[in-house]
Amino acid sequence: MKDDARPGTRVVAAGRRREWTGGVVSTPVWRASTILYDSVADLRESAGRDTHHRLFYGRRGTPTQWSLADALTELEPGAEATFLYPSGVAAIAAALFSVLSPGDELLLVDSAYDPTRSMATGLLRRFGITTRFYDPMVGAGIAGLIGPATRAILMESPGSLTFEVQDIPAIVAVARERGIATLLDNTWATPLLLPAIGMGVDLSILACTKYVVGHSDVMMGSVTAAPSHWNRLRQTSFELGQVVSPDDAWLGSRGLRTMAVRLRHHEASALRIARWLQTRPEVARVLHPALPSCPGHETWARDFNGSSGLFSVVLAGGGEAARAALIDGLDLFGIGYSWGGFESLAIPVDPHRHRTATPPDFAGPLVRLQIGLEDPDDLIADLAAGLDRFAAALG
Ligand SMILES: Cc1ncc(COP(=O)(O)O)c(C=O)c1O
């Protein structure tokens, strides 16, 4: 593949080295715990050499995992390498432990995925690491929050549930000046829509469970590191014993090959549906980064190459019962948490329960939608009937 290949070409070609594929198209599943050596001398010599892309012990991976990790690295211009984890949350944990030590402070965006918050206030606190939550719209104002113990800033853009878009370049510029590590949960955009390492982020995190896998049947996470942060990330991940099964890595690679086309469909359908929802009287506001009604929309327009399929809708009034009437009767939307697959989903979300720094000021209840690969006209018809049920429940 040429150095200037575009992202849509990279997802197809990346990570498929001939020495790993053996001449077939995709790297096959290499299952291993034990690696055999030719002699005692060979075994001794292997212990001292770099195991990157070399068989050593099952936990260090085989070509199946290396192939997916390399492909993800190749989507992030300027990145050094990628480590894979058995879930997105495991990836977040390894990334944080690679940059934080007891006595340090983490600045964590208030709109972060809730289990990320719990990790900070639970596990990290037990290890003597404190967390300060910050407003997702803080931008360069992050400088005012940095204290003597601040060592890392974790961003998630757009935010979970409420989709505020953060000013990543402004935060990265401040962090660089102060020698603070920057981490980004880039699951919503993927490197195709936001090449984070190229924007100066040190550790770019994906819940591969979502768009990389794309079929709602594998849990996986990844962290792609800038050269300055790779060795610490890799060592921390080895010490935590992290490894993904080769079968899951193979499914991850299979999903990745179609990620660019899937994202284009998710984007077009989600935008169409989001715009239609804006015209409905039952909808107070649509929180979709590509629409001006979303906080940080201008930042999205400046920094992102597109949008994906997940957004929230603020309903015009009503409570739990009316919201449930909308969701429960949907035919094509499943009710489930993990998004990024080929199928549409709808869930009630209550961001007020999680926020501590900046309570969101929405009047009505929220529904989060994942727009899948179904025909958008069918999805619109399903949602229209749902909004009618919602209006009827309001009385
Ligand atoms: C933004 C975001 N980050 C991380 C995760 C965690 O990923 P996983 O479910 O693979 O642990 C999720 C899961 O929903 C998510 O939405």
Side-chain angles (χ1 to χ4, degrees), residues 87-89 92 113 156 160 185 187 207 209-210 219-220 339:
S87 71
V89 166
I92 294 165
Y113 178 56
E156 185 183 319
S160 270
D185 183 332
T187 303
T209 310
K210 320 299 182 207
M219 302 294 302
M220 202 190 302
W339 48 279

Short mmCIF file of all heavy atoms in Angstrom, two decimals, residues 87-89 92 113 156 160 185 187 207 209-210 219-220 339, ligand 1:
data_model
loop_
_atom_site.label_atom_id
_atom_site.label_comp_id
_atom_site.label_asym_id
_atom_site.label_seq_id
_atom_site.Cartn_x
_atom_site.Cartn_y
_atom_site.Cartn_z
N SER A 87 -11.96 -5.82 25.89
CA SER A 87 -13.16 -4.96 25.84
C SER A 87 -12.69 -3.51 25.74
O SER A 87 -11.51 -3.21 25.98
CB SER A 87 -14.02 -5.12 27.11
OG SER A 87 -13.37 -4.54 28.22
N GLY A 88 -13.62 -2.63 25.43
CA GLY A 88 -13.29 -1.20 25.40
C GLY A 88 -12.91 -0.71 26.79
O GLY A 88 -11.99 0.11 26.94
N VAL A 89 -13.62 -1.18 27.80
CA VAL A 89 -13.32 -0.73 29.17
C VAL A 89 -11.91 -1.18 29.58
O VAL A 89 -11.17 -0.43 30.22
CB VAL A 89 -14.40 -1.24 30.15
CG1 VAL A 89 -13.95 -1.10 31.60
CG2 VAL A 89 -15.70 -0.45 29.94
N ILE A 92 -9.49 1.24 28.11
CA ILE A 92 -9.45 2.51 28.85
C ILE A 92 -8.60 2.34 30.12
O ILE A 92 -7.76 3.18 30.46
CB ILE A 92 -10.89 2.97 29.19
CG1 ILE A 92 -11.64 3.32 27.90
CG2 ILE A 92 -10.88 4.17 30.15
CD1 ILE A 92 -13.14 3.44 28.05
N TYR A 113 -18.31 8.12 29.16
CA TYR A 113 -19.04 6.86 29.29
C TYR A 113 -19.08 6.48 30.77
O TYR A 113 -18.04 6.54 31.46
CB TYR A 113 -18.28 5.82 28.47
CG TYR A 113 -18.82 4.43 28.48
CD1 TYR A 113 -20.13 4.16 28.10
CD2 TYR A 113 -18.00 3.36 28.81
CE1 TYR A 113 -20.61 2.85 28.07
CE2 TYR A 113 -18.46 2.06 28.79
CZ TYR A 113 -19.77 1.81 28.42
OH TYR A 113 -20.23 0.52 28.40
N GLU A 156 -13.56 12.47 25.65
CA GLU A 156 -14.42 11.57 24.87
C GLU A 156 -15.26 12.50 24.01
O GLU A 156 -15.98 13.35 24.54
CB GLU A 156 -15.30 10.73 25.79
CG GLU A 156 -16.12 9.71 25.03
CD GLU A 156 -17.05 8.91 25.94
OE1 GLU A 156 -16.64 8.51 27.04
OE2 GLU A 156 -18.21 8.71 25.54
N SER A 160 -20.67 10.70 25.66
CA SER A 160 -21.69 9.66 25.74
C SER A 160 -23.03 10.30 26.11
O SER A 160 -23.08 11.22 26.92
CB SER A 160 -21.32 8.64 26.81
OG SER A 160 -20.54 7.60 26.27
N ASP A 185 -11.21 8.83 24.03
CA ASP A 185 -12.09 7.73 23.64
C ASP A 185 -12.70 8.13 22.31
O ASP A 185 -13.56 9.01 22.24
CB ASP A 185 -13.17 7.52 24.72
CG ASP A 185 -14.07 6.33 24.40
OD1 ASP A 185 -14.24 6.01 23.20
OD2 ASP A 185 -14.62 5.73 25.34
N THR A 187 -14.31 6.21 20.08
CA THR A 187 -15.17 5.12 19.59
C THR A 187 -16.23 5.60 18.60
O THR A 187 -16.51 4.93 17.62
CB THR A 187 -15.84 4.43 20.80
OG1 THR A 187 -14.81 3.97 21.68
CG2 THR A 187 -16.69 3.25 20.37
N ALA A 207 -13.48 1.40 21.58
CA ALA A 207 -14.22 0.18 21.92
C ALA A 207 -14.48 -0.47 20.56
O ALA A 207 -15.42 -0.11 19.84
CB ALA A 207 -15.52 0.51 22.64
N THR A 209 -15.57 -3.19 19.96
CA THR A 209 -16.89 -3.83 20.09
C THR A 209 -17.91 -3.15 19.17
O THR A 209 -18.83 -3.80 18.69
CB THR A 209 -17.37 -3.66 21.56
OG1 THR A 209 -16.33 -4.09 22.43
CG2 THR A 209 -18.63 -4.42 21.83
N LYS A 210 -17.74 -1.86 18.94
CA LYS A 210 -18.74 -1.09 18.17
C LYS A 210 -18.44 -1.17 16.67
O LYS A 210 -18.66 -2.20 16.07
CB LYS A 210 -18.78 0.37 18.65
CG LYS A 210 -18.68 0.57 20.15
CD LYS A 210 -19.79 -0.09 20.93
CE LYS A 210 -19.62 0.20 22.42
NZ LYS A 210 -20.18 -0.80 23.29
N MET A 219 -16.63 -8.70 21.87
CA MET A 219 -16.16 -7.62 22.75
C MET A 219 -14.67 -7.40 22.47
O MET A 219 -13.90 -8.37 22.47
CB MET A 219 -16.31 -8.00 24.23
CG MET A 219 -17.71 -8.35 24.70
SD MET A 219 -18.87 -6.97 24.65
CE MET A 219 -18.08 -5.77 25.71
N MET A 220 -14.27 -6.17 22.26
CA MET A 220 -12.84 -5.89 22.05
C MET A 220 -12.54 -4.40 22.17
O MET A 220 -13.42 -3.57 21.91
CB MET A 220 -12.40 -6.37 20.65
CG MET A 220 -10.91 -6.60 20.56
SD MET A 220 -10.38 -6.87 18.89
CE MET A 220 -11.36 -8.28 18.47
N TRP A 339 -23.80 -0.43 20.88
CA TRP A 339 -24.13 0.09 19.55
C TRP A 339 -23.00 -0.21 18.56
O TRP A 339 -22.01 -0.85 18.93
CB TRP A 339 -24.38 1.59 19.66
CG TRP A 339 -23.32 2.32 20.44
CD1 TRP A 339 -23.22 2.40 21.81
CD2 TRP A 339 -22.19 3.03 19.92
NE1 TRP A 339 -22.10 3.13 22.15
CE2 TRP A 339 -21.46 3.52 21.02
CE3 TRP A 339 -21.74 3.31 18.63
CZ2 TRP A 339 -20.29 4.27 20.87
CZ3 TRP A 339 -20.57 4.06 18.46
CH2 TRP A 339 -19.87 4.53 19.58
C1 LIG B 1 -17.93 5.57 24.16
C2 LIG B 1 -17.71 4.19 24.71
N1 LIG B 1 -16.50 3.88 25.16
C3 LIG B 1 -16.23 2.66 25.66
C4 LIG B 1 -17.21 1.70 25.74
C5 LIG B 1 -16.88 0.37 26.35
O1 LIG B 1 -16.71 -0.62 25.42
P1 LIG B 1 -16.91 -2.17 25.80
O2 LIG B 1 -18.38 -2.38 25.91
O3 LIG B 1 -16.27 -2.89 24.67
O4 LIG B 1 -16.20 -2.40 27.10
C6 LIG B 1 -18.49 1.98 25.26
C7 LIG B 1 -19.55 0.95 25.33
O5 LIG B 1 -20.73 1.23 25.16
C8 LIG B 1 -18.75 3.26 24.75
O6 LIG B 1 -19.99 3.61 24.32
#
